[in-house]
Short mmCIF file of all heavy atoms in Angstrom, two decimals:
data_model
loop_
_atom_site.label_atom_id
_atom_site.label_comp_id
_atom_site.label_asym_id
_atom_site.label_seq_id
_atom_site.Cartn_x
_atom_site.Cartn_y
_atom_site.Cartn_z
N ALA A 1 0.84 -1.20 0.00
CA ALA A 1 0.00 0.00 0.00
C ALA A 1 0.88 1.25 0.00
O ALA A 1 1.87 1.32 0.73
CB ALA A 1 -0.90 0.00 1.23
N THR A 2 0.53 2.20 -0.86
CA THR A 2 1.18 3.51 -0.87
C THR A 2 0.07 4.56 -0.77
O THR A 2 -1.12 4.24 -0.85
CB THR A 2 2.00 3.73 -2.15
OG1 THR A 2 1.10 3.89 -3.27
CG2 THR A 2 2.94 2.56 -2.43
N ASP A 3 0.47 5.81 -0.65
CA ASP A 3 -0.55 6.87 -0.55
C ASP A 3 -1.25 7.13 -1.87
O ASP A 3 -2.29 7.80 -1.90
CB ASP A 3 0.09 8.16 -0.03
CG ASP A 3 0.57 8.03 1.41
OD1 ASP A 3 0.09 7.12 2.12
OD2 ASP A 3 1.42 8.84 1.84
N SER A 4 -0.72 6.59 -2.97
CA SER A 4 -1.36 6.79 -4.27
C SER A 4 -2.10 5.56 -4.77
O SER A 4 -2.87 5.63 -5.73
CB SER A 4 -0.31 7.20 -5.32
OG SER A 4 0.68 6.20 -5.46
N GLY A 5 -1.88 4.41 -4.15
CA GLY A 5 -2.54 3.20 -4.60
C GLY A 5 -1.83 1.95 -4.10
O GLY A 5 -1.13 1.99 -3.09
N PHE A 6 -2.02 0.85 -4.83
CA PHE A 6 -1.47 -0.43 -4.42
C PHE A 6 -0.53 -1.00 -5.49
O PHE A 6 -0.73 -0.78 -6.68
CB PHE A 6 -2.59 -1.46 -4.19
CG PHE A 6 -3.55 -1.08 -3.11
CD1 PHE A 6 -4.73 -0.42 -3.43
CD2 PHE A 6 -3.29 -1.38 -1.79
CE1 PHE A 6 -5.64 -0.06 -2.44
CE2 PHE A 6 -4.18 -1.02 -0.79
CZ PHE A 6 -5.35 -0.37 -1.11
N GLU A 7 0.47 -1.73 -5.03
CA GLU A 7 1.32 -2.53 -5.91
C GLU A 7 1.04 -3.99 -5.56
O GLU A 7 1.24 -4.42 -4.42
CB GLU A 7 2.79 -2.20 -5.69
CG GLU A 7 3.14 -0.74 -5.96
CD GLU A 7 4.55 -0.40 -5.53
OE1 GLU A 7 5.30 -1.32 -5.13
OE2 GLU A 7 4.91 0.80 -5.55
N ALA A 8 0.58 -4.76 -6.56
CA ALA A 8 0.20 -6.14 -6.30
C ALA A 8 0.12 -6.89 -7.63
O ALA A 8 0.05 -6.28 -8.70
CB ALA A 8 -1.16 -6.19 -5.59
N PRO A 9 0.12 -8.24 -7.60
CA PRO A 9 -0.01 -9.01 -8.83
C PRO A 9 -1.33 -8.74 -9.54
O PRO A 9 -2.32 -8.32 -8.92
CB PRO A 9 0.06 -10.47 -8.34
CG PRO A 9 0.76 -10.40 -7.03
CD PRO A 9 0.34 -9.10 -6.42
N ASP A 10 -1.34 -8.98 -10.85
CA ASP A 10 -2.56 -8.84 -11.64
C ASP A 10 -3.37 -10.13 -11.68
O ASP A 10 -4.55 -10.10 -12.01
CB ASP A 10 -2.21 -8.42 -13.07
CG ASP A 10 -1.55 -7.07 -13.13
OD1 ASP A 10 -1.89 -6.21 -12.30
OD2 ASP A 10 -0.68 -6.86 -14.00
N ARG A 11 -2.70 -11.27 -11.40
CA ARG A 11 -3.37 -12.57 -11.44
C ARG A 11 -2.96 -13.36 -10.19
O ARG A 11 -1.79 -13.38 -9.80
CB ARG A 11 -2.97 -13.36 -12.69
CG ARG A 11 -3.54 -12.80 -13.99
CD ARG A 11 -2.77 -13.34 -15.20
NE ARG A 11 -2.84 -14.79 -15.29
CZ ARG A 11 -3.82 -15.47 -15.88
NH1 ARG A 11 -4.84 -14.80 -16.40
NH2 ARG A 11 -3.80 -16.78 -15.94
N VAL A 12 -3.95 -14.03 -9.60
CA VAL A 12 -3.73 -14.80 -8.38
C VAL A 12 -4.50 -16.12 -8.52
O VAL A 12 -5.65 -16.10 -8.94
CB VAL A 12 -4.22 -14.02 -7.14
CG1 VAL A 12 -4.06 -14.85 -5.88
CG2 VAL A 12 -3.50 -12.70 -7.01
N PRO A 13 -3.90 -17.26 -8.17
CA PRO A 13 -4.65 -18.51 -8.24
C PRO A 13 -5.71 -18.60 -7.15
O PRO A 13 -5.53 -18.07 -6.04
CB PRO A 13 -3.56 -19.58 -8.04
CG PRO A 13 -2.44 -18.88 -7.35
CD PRO A 13 -2.49 -17.46 -7.81
N ALA A 14 -6.81 -19.25 -7.47
CA ALA A 14 -7.91 -19.40 -6.51
C ALA A 14 -7.48 -20.31 -5.36
O ALA A 14 -6.55 -21.10 -5.47
CB ALA A 14 -9.13 -19.97 -7.22
N GLY A 15 -8.19 -20.18 -4.25
CA GLY A 15 -7.93 -21.03 -3.09
C GLY A 15 -7.63 -20.20 -1.85
O GLY A 15 -7.90 -18.99 -1.81
N LEU A 16 -7.05 -20.84 -0.87
CA LEU A 16 -6.66 -20.16 0.36
C LEU A 16 -5.32 -19.49 0.12
O LEU A 16 -4.30 -20.16 -0.09
CB LEU A 16 -6.56 -21.15 1.52
CG LEU A 16 -6.27 -20.54 2.89
CD1 LEU A 16 -7.45 -19.68 3.36
CD2 LEU A 16 -5.97 -21.64 3.91
N ARG A 17 -5.30 -18.15 0.12
CA ARG A 17 -4.09 -17.41 -0.21
C ARG A 17 -3.43 -16.83 1.04
O ARG A 17 -4.09 -16.30 1.92
CB ARG A 17 -4.41 -16.24 -1.16
CG ARG A 17 -4.85 -16.62 -2.56
CD ARG A 17 -3.69 -17.00 -3.48
NE ARG A 17 -3.02 -18.21 -3.07
CZ ARG A 17 -3.51 -19.44 -3.29
NH1 ARG A 17 -4.63 -19.60 -3.94
NH2 ARG A 17 -2.83 -20.49 -2.87
N HIS A 18 -2.11 -16.94 1.04
CA HIS A 18 -1.29 -16.29 2.06
C HIS A 18 -1.02 -14.87 1.58
O HIS A 18 -0.40 -14.67 0.54
CB HIS A 18 0.03 -17.06 2.24
CG HIS A 18 1.00 -16.40 3.17
ND1 HIS A 18 2.36 -16.61 3.08
CD2 HIS A 18 0.82 -15.54 4.21
CE1 HIS A 18 2.97 -15.92 4.02
NE2 HIS A 18 2.06 -15.25 4.72
N ILE A 19 -1.49 -13.89 2.33
CA ILE A 19 -1.35 -12.48 1.96
C ILE A 19 -0.34 -11.81 2.88
O ILE A 19 -0.44 -11.92 4.11
CB ILE A 19 -2.69 -11.74 2.01
CG1 ILE A 19 -3.68 -12.34 1.01
CG2 ILE A 19 -2.51 -10.25 1.75
CD1 ILE A 19 -5.06 -11.72 1.06
N VAL A 20 0.63 -11.14 2.29
CA VAL A 20 1.53 -10.27 3.02
C VAL A 20 1.20 -8.84 2.61
O VAL A 20 1.26 -8.51 1.42
CB VAL A 20 3.00 -10.59 2.73
CG1 VAL A 20 3.92 -9.58 3.43
CG2 VAL A 20 3.35 -12.00 3.20
N PHE A 21 0.81 -8.02 3.57
CA PHE A 21 0.38 -6.65 3.29
C PHE A 21 1.34 -5.69 3.96
O PHE A 21 1.54 -5.72 5.17
CB PHE A 21 -1.04 -6.44 3.83
CG PHE A 21 -1.66 -5.12 3.46
CD1 PHE A 21 -2.10 -4.87 2.18
CD2 PHE A 21 -1.84 -4.12 4.42
CE1 PHE A 21 -2.70 -3.65 1.84
CE2 PHE A 21 -2.43 -2.91 4.10
CZ PHE A 21 -2.86 -2.68 2.80
N GLU A 22 1.91 -4.81 3.17
CA GLU A 22 2.95 -3.89 3.64
C GLU A 22 2.52 -2.46 3.37
O GLU A 22 2.13 -2.12 2.25
CB GLU A 22 4.25 -4.21 2.90
CG GLU A 22 5.43 -3.36 3.28
CD GLU A 22 6.67 -3.71 2.46
OE1 GLU A 22 6.61 -4.66 1.64
OE2 GLU A 22 7.69 -3.02 2.63
N ASN A 23 2.60 -1.61 4.37
CA ASN A 23 2.23 -0.20 4.21
C ASN A 23 3.49 0.64 4.06
O ASN A 23 4.21 0.89 5.03
CB ASN A 23 1.41 0.29 5.41
CG ASN A 23 0.90 1.72 5.21
OD1 ASN A 23 1.22 2.38 4.23
ND2 ASN A 23 0.11 2.20 6.16
N ARG A 24 3.74 1.11 2.83
CA ARG A 24 4.88 1.98 2.56
C ARG A 24 4.45 3.44 2.42
O ARG A 24 5.23 4.29 1.98
CB ARG A 24 5.60 1.54 1.29
CG ARG A 24 6.25 0.16 1.39
CD ARG A 24 7.00 -0.18 0.13
NE ARG A 24 7.48 -1.57 0.13
CZ ARG A 24 8.00 -2.18 -0.93
NH1 ARG A 24 8.13 -1.51 -2.07
NH2 ARG A 24 8.39 -3.44 -0.84
N GLY A 25 3.21 3.73 2.79
CA GLY A 25 2.72 5.10 2.70
C GLY A 25 3.01 5.88 3.96
O GLY A 25 3.69 5.41 4.87
N THR A 26 2.47 7.08 4.01
CA THR A 26 2.63 7.95 5.19
C THR A 26 1.33 8.01 6.00
O THR A 26 1.27 8.69 7.02
CB THR A 26 3.02 9.38 4.77
OG1 THR A 26 1.96 9.94 3.96
CG2 THR A 26 4.32 9.37 3.97
N GLN A 27 0.29 7.31 5.52
CA GLN A 27 -1.00 7.30 6.20
C GLN A 27 -1.39 5.86 6.51
O GLN A 27 -0.81 4.91 5.99
CB GLN A 27 -2.07 7.93 5.30
CG GLN A 27 -1.75 9.33 4.82
CD GLN A 27 -2.76 9.81 3.80
OE1 GLN A 27 -3.97 9.74 4.03
NE2 GLN A 27 -2.28 10.31 2.68
N ILE A 28 -2.40 5.70 7.36
CA ILE A 28 -2.93 4.37 7.65
C ILE A 28 -3.70 3.87 6.43
O ILE A 28 -4.48 4.60 5.83
CB ILE A 28 -3.83 4.40 8.90
CG1 ILE A 28 -2.99 4.68 10.15
CG2 ILE A 28 -4.61 3.11 9.05
CD1 ILE A 28 -3.80 4.82 11.41
N HIS A 29 -3.48 2.60 6.08
CA HIS A 29 -4.17 1.99 4.93
C HIS A 29 -4.70 0.61 5.32
O HIS A 29 -4.27 0.02 6.31
CB HIS A 29 -3.23 1.86 3.73
CG HIS A 29 -2.81 3.16 3.14
ND1 HIS A 29 -3.68 4.01 2.49
CD2 HIS A 29 -1.60 3.78 3.11
CE1 HIS A 29 -3.03 5.09 2.08
NE2 HIS A 29 -1.76 4.98 2.45
N GLU A 30 -5.62 0.12 4.50
CA GLU A 30 -6.10 -1.26 4.60
C GLU A 30 -6.23 -1.82 3.19
O GLU A 30 -6.07 -1.08 2.21
CB GLU A 30 -7.45 -1.32 5.33
CG GLU A 30 -8.59 -0.62 4.60
CD GLU A 30 -9.91 -0.67 5.35
OE1 GLU A 30 -9.91 -0.98 6.57
OE2 GLU A 30 -10.96 -0.40 4.73
N GLY A 31 -6.50 -3.12 3.09
CA GLY A 31 -6.56 -3.75 1.77
C GLY A 31 -7.77 -4.65 1.62
O GLY A 31 -7.64 -5.89 1.65
N MET A 32 -8.95 -4.07 1.47
CA MET A 32 -10.16 -4.86 1.27
C MET A 32 -10.15 -5.53 -0.10
O MET A 32 -9.92 -4.88 -1.13
CB MET A 32 -11.40 -3.95 1.37
CG MET A 32 -12.70 -4.60 0.92
SD MET A 32 -13.25 -5.92 2.00
CE MET A 32 -13.95 -4.96 3.35
N LEU A 33 -10.37 -6.85 -0.13
CA LEU A 33 -10.54 -7.58 -1.39
C LEU A 33 -12.02 -7.61 -1.72
O LEU A 33 -12.84 -8.07 -0.91
CB LEU A 33 -10.00 -9.01 -1.27
CG LEU A 33 -8.60 -9.19 -0.69
CD1 LEU A 33 -8.21 -10.68 -0.73
CD2 LEU A 33 -7.57 -8.35 -1.43
N VAL A 34 -12.38 -7.13 -2.90
CA VAL A 34 -13.78 -7.08 -3.31
C VAL A 34 -13.93 -7.82 -4.63
O VAL A 34 -13.23 -7.53 -5.61
CB VAL A 34 -14.27 -5.63 -3.49
CG1 VAL A 34 -15.73 -5.62 -3.94
CG2 VAL A 34 -14.10 -4.83 -2.20
N LYS A 35 -14.84 -8.81 -4.67
CA LYS A 35 -15.15 -9.52 -5.90
C LYS A 35 -16.27 -8.80 -6.64
O LYS A 35 -17.35 -8.55 -6.08
CB LYS A 35 -15.56 -10.96 -5.62
CG LYS A 35 -15.77 -11.80 -6.88
CD LYS A 35 -16.18 -13.23 -6.54
CE LYS A 35 -16.37 -14.04 -7.81
NZ LYS A 35 -16.86 -15.41 -7.50
N LEU A 36 -16.01 -8.44 -7.90
CA LEU A 36 -16.98 -7.68 -8.69
C LEU A 36 -17.97 -8.61 -9.38
O LEU A 36 -17.58 -9.69 -9.85
CB LEU A 36 -16.25 -6.83 -9.74
CG LEU A 36 -15.17 -5.89 -9.20
CD1 LEU A 36 -14.51 -5.15 -10.36
CD2 LEU A 36 -15.75 -4.90 -8.19
N PRO A 37 -19.23 -8.23 -9.48
CA PRO A 37 -20.19 -9.05 -10.21
C PRO A 37 -19.93 -8.98 -11.71
O PRO A 37 -19.24 -8.08 -12.20
CB PRO A 37 -21.53 -8.42 -9.85
CG PRO A 37 -21.21 -6.99 -9.56
CD PRO A 37 -19.84 -7.00 -8.93
N ASP A 38 -20.48 -9.94 -12.44
CA ASP A 38 -20.32 -9.95 -13.90
C ASP A 38 -20.79 -8.62 -14.48
O ASP A 38 -21.88 -8.12 -14.14
CB ASP A 38 -21.14 -11.09 -14.52
CG ASP A 38 -20.56 -12.46 -14.18
OD1 ASP A 38 -19.38 -12.51 -13.77
OD2 ASP A 38 -21.29 -13.46 -14.31
N GLY A 39 -19.97 -8.05 -15.36
CA GLY A 39 -20.33 -6.80 -16.03
C GLY A 39 -19.89 -5.56 -15.30
O GLY A 39 -19.96 -4.46 -15.88
N MET A 40 -19.46 -5.68 -14.05
CA MET A 40 -19.00 -4.51 -13.32
C MET A 40 -17.48 -4.39 -13.45
O MET A 40 -16.75 -5.34 -13.21
CB MET A 40 -19.38 -4.57 -11.84
CG MET A 40 -18.88 -3.36 -11.03
SD MET A 40 -19.26 -3.44 -9.25
CE MET A 40 -21.01 -3.02 -9.25
N ARG A 41 -17.02 -3.20 -13.85
CA ARG A 41 -15.59 -2.93 -13.94
C ARG A 41 -15.14 -2.19 -12.68
O ARG A 41 -15.96 -1.69 -11.92
CB ARG A 41 -15.30 -2.08 -15.17
CG ARG A 41 -15.74 -2.70 -16.50
CD ARG A 41 -15.73 -1.65 -17.59
NE ARG A 41 -16.63 -0.54 -17.29
CZ ARG A 41 -16.69 0.59 -17.98
NH1 ARG A 41 -15.89 0.77 -19.03
NH2 ARG A 41 -17.53 1.55 -17.62
N ALA A 42 -13.83 -2.14 -12.50
CA ALA A 42 -13.30 -1.46 -11.32
C ALA A 42 -13.80 -0.02 -11.27
O ALA A 42 -14.19 0.48 -10.20
CB ALA A 42 -11.77 -1.49 -11.35
N GLN A 43 -13.81 0.66 -12.43
CA GLN A 43 -14.24 2.06 -12.45
C GLN A 43 -15.73 2.20 -12.13
O GLN A 43 -16.17 3.22 -11.60
CB GLN A 43 -13.90 2.73 -13.78
CG GLN A 43 -14.41 2.02 -15.03
CD GLN A 43 -13.38 1.09 -15.64
OE1 GLN A 43 -12.70 0.36 -14.93
NE2 GLN A 43 -13.27 1.15 -16.96
N ASP A 44 -16.52 1.17 -12.44
CA ASP A 44 -17.95 1.20 -12.10
C ASP A 44 -18.13 1.13 -10.58
O ASP A 44 -18.98 1.83 -10.01
CB ASP A 44 -18.68 0.03 -12.75
CG ASP A 44 -18.60 0.05 -14.28
OD1 ASP A 44 -18.56 1.15 -14.84
OD2 ASP A 44 -18.57 -1.04 -14.88
N TYR A 45 -17.34 0.27 -9.95
CA TYR A 45 -17.41 0.14 -8.49
C TYR A 45 -17.03 1.46 -7.83
O TYR A 45 -17.72 1.94 -6.92
CB TYR A 45 -16.48 -0.99 -8.03
CG TYR A 45 -16.53 -1.26 -6.55
CD1 TYR A 45 -17.36 -2.25 -6.03
CD2 TYR A 45 -15.73 -0.54 -5.65
CE1 TYR A 45 -17.41 -2.51 -4.66
CE2 TYR A 45 -15.78 -0.78 -4.29
CZ TYR A 45 -16.61 -1.77 -3.80
OH TYR A 45 -16.65 -2.02 -2.45
N VAL A 46 -15.94 2.05 -8.29
CA VAL A 46 -15.48 3.31 -7.72
C VAL A 46 -16.51 4.41 -7.93
O VAL A 46 -16.77 5.23 -7.03
CB VAL A 46 -14.12 3.71 -8.32
CG1 VAL A 46 -13.71 5.11 -7.87
CG2 VAL A 46 -13.04 2.70 -7.93
#
C-alpha cells in the first residue's frame, strides 16, 4: 500500500491465499478484497 494506490499481482490462483500486506505510505491503509459481479468494472465500483 502507498498513498497513491497499491502494488500487487494482476493474477492470483484461486484457493486459500497467504497475503503479506505492507504499508509503505505515510497514512494508515487497509486492503479490502472485493469480488466484482459480472459486467462490473473497477471504475464502475469506484
Side-chain angles (χ1 to χ4, degrees):
T2 71
D3 293 341
S4 60
F6 298 95
E7 300 171 7
D10 297 327
R11 290 162 60 85
V12 177
L16 185 66
R17 292 280 66 78
H18 175 205
I19 298 177
V20 175
F21 187 73
E22 180 182 357
N23 185 355
R24 295 183 188 170
T26 62
Q27 305 172 51
I28 291 176
H29 293 292
E30 65 181 15
M32 169 68 77
L33 310 184
V34 179
K35 185 180 181 184
L36 305 178
D38 291 342
M40 179 182 283
R41 302 166 300 171
Q43 54 265 43
D44 299 328
Y45 183 95
V46 173

